Amino acid sequence: MTFRPLQDRILVRRIEADEKTPGGIIIPDTAKEKPQEGEVVAVGPGARDDSGSVMAPDVKVGDRVLFGKWSGTEVRLGGEDLLIMKEADVLGVLEGSQRASQAA
């Protein structure tokens, strides 16, 4: 099944957090928070400005993004849990291969 977001919406797959802390402590499932990092799976054509022209989105498929804790709407497509959110809910794009947890 294919999914095409409308306007300035994007489809994001959450990237699961590590099972251990840097010190080696294993985190149980009940104590884990939902990850706030994900990979963009699909992007809509963009929002329209006041004159009616389409503004291209800043994110593209494959980008790793950070988003707010309560951002987006959770959906299940093809047996996979994904998020649909507006591009404005994205806080930033992670550049390079360094993870957000290592950068902080």
Side-chain angles (χ1 to χ4, degrees):
M1 172 182 7
T2 59
F3 178 81
R4 181 178 52 92
L6 300 177
Q7 299 173 349
D8 64 337
R9 289 179 175 80
I10 61 173
L11 186 66
V12 176
R13 175 185 302 121
R14 285 188 195 265
I15 297 174
E16 294 301 321
D18 292 333
E19 299 287 323
K20 288 190 211 176
T21 64
I25 298 171
I26 297 174
I27 303 169
D29 289 338
T30 56
K32 287 183 188 174
E33 290 188 17
K34 290 185 177 180
Q36 294 174 286
E37 181 180 342
E39 178 184 358
V40 177
V41 177
V43 179
R48 294 194 181 273
D49 61 10
D50 293 335
S51 65
S53 60
V54 176
M55 298 183 304
D58 290 330
V59 297
K60 60 186 179 305
V61 174
D63 281 350
R64 289 178 70 137
V65 295
L66 292 178
F67 48 86
K69 186 176 266 190
W70 308 108
S71 298
T73 302
E74 294 182 359
V75 295
R76 189 163 186 86
L77 293 172
E80 187 175 15
D81 291 327
L82 301 168
L83 286 170
I84 298 174
M85 66 180 71
K86 288 190 170 256
E87 185 184 19
D89 291 340
V90 173
L91 303 174
V93 177
L94 294 170
E95 301 289 340
S97 62
Q98 193 174 31
R99 294 186 52 123
S101 59
Q102 295 171 346

